[in-house]
Amino acid sequence: KPNKKKIKYFKKKYNPKNKFCFMYSGTLGYKHNPNLFIKLAEQFPNSIILISSKGKFADKIKQISKKKFKNIKVIDWVKYENLSSFLSISNVLIVALEKDASTFSVPSKIYTYLTIKKPILGSMPIKNLASKIIKKMKVGYISRPNDIESFIRNCERFIKSKKLRMIFSNNC
């Protein structure tokens, strides 16, 4: 369960200017599209993209962000006991999965995301079980993995409408 003191701490540390916060927490690898986060940073320079991950792909995004995008922050894993408090500072939670990985992978992070009661922004195959759950519960938007335009439009919807974010959050 989120802890108010920890939420305050994470907000102060990672989003002190209270910008619109897109967040991704989890593994980044071949089954994910790191360019999704770069496009997000390009399109929404006044927002923050917070990524909690480790590994080669996280390092790649971190290198790119240091040179070009100051609105992407890549941090190491957050301790499990702090995860719900950390995720609570987001406005929207991101889940991503490439088409090839869809047959063998169902992002279990959506269950964690649902407990945080934040809208979910997905970039993954529509037929994936996680996509179906998000759609059926009406807790977020899904775009196909290579459809960056649709993904960006969905981001715009969330940024522009607090009411929409609230509706999706209440469905969690």
Side-chain angles (χ1 to χ4, degrees):
K1 191 172 182 176
N3 174 301
K4 287 183 182 184
K5 282 185 182 178
K6 298 238 181 193
I7 292 170
K8 198 173 184 177
Y9 165 79
F10 285 125
K11 218 172 190 137
K12 186 177 180 182
K13 184 170 183 173
Y14 297 116
N15 193 6
K17 294 183 180 175
N18 202 28
K19 294 182 175 187
F20 191 93
C21 181
F22 294 99
M23 187 182 291
Y24 178 90
S25 179
T27 304
L28 282 174
Y30 292 105
K31 61 183 180 176
H32 306 94
N33 180 358
N35 293 325
L36 204 61
F37 303 105
I38 304 303
K39 274 288 187 205
L40 196 56
E42 279 177 349
Q43 293 293 316
F44 305 104
N46 294 323
S47 68
I48 182 168
I49 297 89
L50 193 51
I51 300 168
S52 173
S53 188
K54 270 189 169 183
K56 182 169 81 172
F57 290 93
D59 291 343
K60 180 183 175 183
I61 294 171
K62 194 183 283 189
Q63 287 173 347
I64 292 168
S65 67
K66 282 182 182 176
K67 293 176 187 172
K68 202 171 179 186
F69 300 104
K70 301 296 180 199
N71 61 333
I72 297 178
K73 291 183 184 180
V74 181
I75 63 166
D76 284 344
W77 302 113
V78 173
K79 289 181 183 176
Y80 180 75
E81 63 267 18
N82 296 327
L83 185 60
S84 61
S85 299
F86 173 72
L87 294 173
S88 293
I89 71 169
S90 70
N91 294 98
V92 173
L93 294 162
I94 296 173
V95 60
L97 188 64
E98 288 299 289
K99 182 182 177 190
D100 298 346
S102 181
T103 55
F104 62 85
S105 182
V106 176
S108 59
K109 74 171 79 308
I110 67 155
Y111 298 112
T112 303
Y113 283 3
L114 289 171
T115 65
I116 304 303
K117 297 190 176 286
K118 299 284 181 164
I120 298 173
L121 185 62
S123 172
M124 52 205 273
I126 306 299
K127 291 186 178 185
N128 184 276
L129 179 60
S131 293
K132 290 177 182 178
I133 291 168
I134 291 166
K135 211 171 174 182
K136 183 178 181 179
M137 291 182 68
K138 298 179 180 156
V139 294
Y141 290 123
I142 302 294
S143 56
R144 296 180 195 285
N146 293 326
D147 191 352
I148 299 285
E149 286 108 30
S150 173
F151 182 79
I152 295 300
R153 271 195 313 276
N154 291 336
C155 293
E156 285 174 1
R157 289 177 180 160
F158 281 134
I159 288 174
K160 288 179 180 177
S161 178
K162 187 174 184 172
K163 183 179 179 182
L164 180 64
R165 292 192 310 269
M166 201 70 130
I167 290 167
F168 283 126
S169 295
N170 288 336
N171 290 339
C172 292

